[in-house]
């Protein structure tokens, strides 16, 4: 879904607002396996994924750890950098050829302020981000590896087939060997 169709499905927009939003978001296409933002960045950009798959990641010692996967119709933004003016720990990498729409957060803030209904959408979006992080933390603290894998296969089956197994294992907090055992049990 393109950015204007996405917003139109969330907020009532007139043609002027639709065109303004379309013009405000830059379209960028990336190849597979492209780092589009390094960890420890100070970016103020929000992106919307129109097509493709990317992951956010960080480094712990020398290990590259997958923090989250994002596919079509997802927004991604460096929260620490935008809201706290400090380096954001997460980098972004495409896992497929990916088309994004990018906008500076300050420009997006003005769109929110000047477009009726966008504030409600943004609040809902932020609540969803909090829910996602809360579920992830709870899963890592209280669920077994098998439960985390089962949850992913039920709720995000497209990721299982689109992302490399090493990155899925990293996301689940298991080794690739453990992931192979988990997959064999299904």
């Amino acid at each position: 879904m393109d950015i204007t169709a996405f917003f139109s499905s969330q907020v009532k927009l007139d043609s002027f607002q639709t065109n303004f939003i379309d013009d405000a978001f830059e379209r960028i296409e990336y190849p597979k396996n492209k780092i589009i933002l390094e960890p420890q960045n100070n970016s103020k950009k929000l992106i919307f994924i129109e097509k493709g798959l990317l992951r956010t990641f960080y480094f712990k010692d020398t290990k590259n750890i997958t923090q989250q996967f994002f596919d079509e119709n997802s927004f991604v933004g460096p929260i620490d950098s935008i809201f706290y003016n400090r380096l954001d720990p997460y980098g972004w990498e495409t896992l497929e050829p990916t088309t994004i729409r990018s906008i500076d957060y300050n420009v997006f803030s003005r769109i929110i302020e000047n477009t009726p209904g966008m504030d409600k959408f943004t609040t809902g979006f932020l609540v969803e981000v909090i829910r996602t992080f809360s579920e992830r933390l709870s899963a890592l603290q209280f669920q077994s590896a098998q439960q985390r894998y089962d949850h992913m296969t039920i709720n995000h089956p497209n990721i299982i087939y689109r992302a490399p197994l090493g990155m899925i294992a990293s996301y689940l907090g298991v080794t690739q060997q453990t992931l192979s055992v988990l997959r064999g049990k299904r």
Side-chain angles (χ1 to χ4, degrees):
M1 181 180 301
D2 72 16
I3 190 81
T4 56
F6 176 80
F7 278 124
S8 294
S9 73
Q10 306 293 318
V11 178
K12 185 173 173 61
L13 300 173
D14 62 31
S15 60
F16 174 79
Q17 292 165 326
T18 301
N19 290 333
F20 184 81
I21 288 171
D22 192 42
D23 290 342
F25 279 82
E26 176 185 10
R27 177 178 272 114
I28 307 169
E29 295 183 10
Y30 291 104
K32 179 179 179 177
N33 299 327
K34 174 74 174 164
I35 304 287
I36 59 177
L37 197 60
E38 292 286 345
Q40 300 303 319
N41 67 78
N42 197 27
S43 175
K44 305 288 190 219
K45 297 282 186 178
L46 290 177
I47 65 167
F48 175 79
I49 303 168
E50 287 188 336
K51 180 184 79 134
L53 177 67
L54 68 79
R55 73 179 182 121
T56 53
F57 67 97
Y58 63 96
F59 293 106
K60 178 156 174 62
D61 301 321
T62 59
K63 285 188 171 182
N64 182 322
I65 309 291
T66 297
Q67 187 264 342
Q68 190 64 272
F69 295 101
F70 296 91
D71 60 0
E72 292 83 6
N73 304 323
S74 296
F75 275 96
V76 184
I79 294 171
D80 282 344
S81 178
I82 289 172
F83 296 106
Y84 300 106
N85 201 30
R86 60 184 183 217
L87 295 179
D88 193 80
Y90 304 112
W92 304 346
E93 178 184 17
T94 63
L95 302 181
E96 299 175 345
T98 301
T99 302
I100 67 164
R101 300 296 296 271
S102 176
I103 190 169
D104 182 89
Y105 179 75
N106 292 324
V107 174
F108 187 66
S109 289
R110 288 193 294 276
I111 291 172
I112 293 168
E113 291 170 6
N114 296 309
T115 307
M118 285 293 278
D119 55 342
K120 185 177 179 183
F121 160 78
T122 304
T123 300
F125 168 74
L126 292 174
V127 168
E128 183 63 22
V129 168
I130 292 167
R131 186 189 65 76
T132 299
F133 278 111
S134 177
E135 282 181 0
R136 174 129 167 85
L137 179 61
S138 178
L140 289 170
Q141 288 181 318
F142 303 114
Q143 292 180 347
S144 68
Q146 185 70 55
Q147 289 171 316
R148 292 191 304 272
Y149 177 74
D150 291 345
H151 180 269
M152 187 172 193
T153 59
I154 291 166
N155 295 297
H156 307 285
N158 62 329
I159 302 298
I160 294 290
Y161 299 109
R162 295 168 69 182
L165 293 180
M167 291 176 186
I168 293 170
S170 169
Y171 171 76
L172 293 173
V174 300
T175 64
Q176 271 192 265
Q177 182 179 6
T178 299
L179 179 59
S180 294
V181 171
L182 297 173
R183 292 179 64 191
K185 290 181 180 180
R186 286 197 54 88

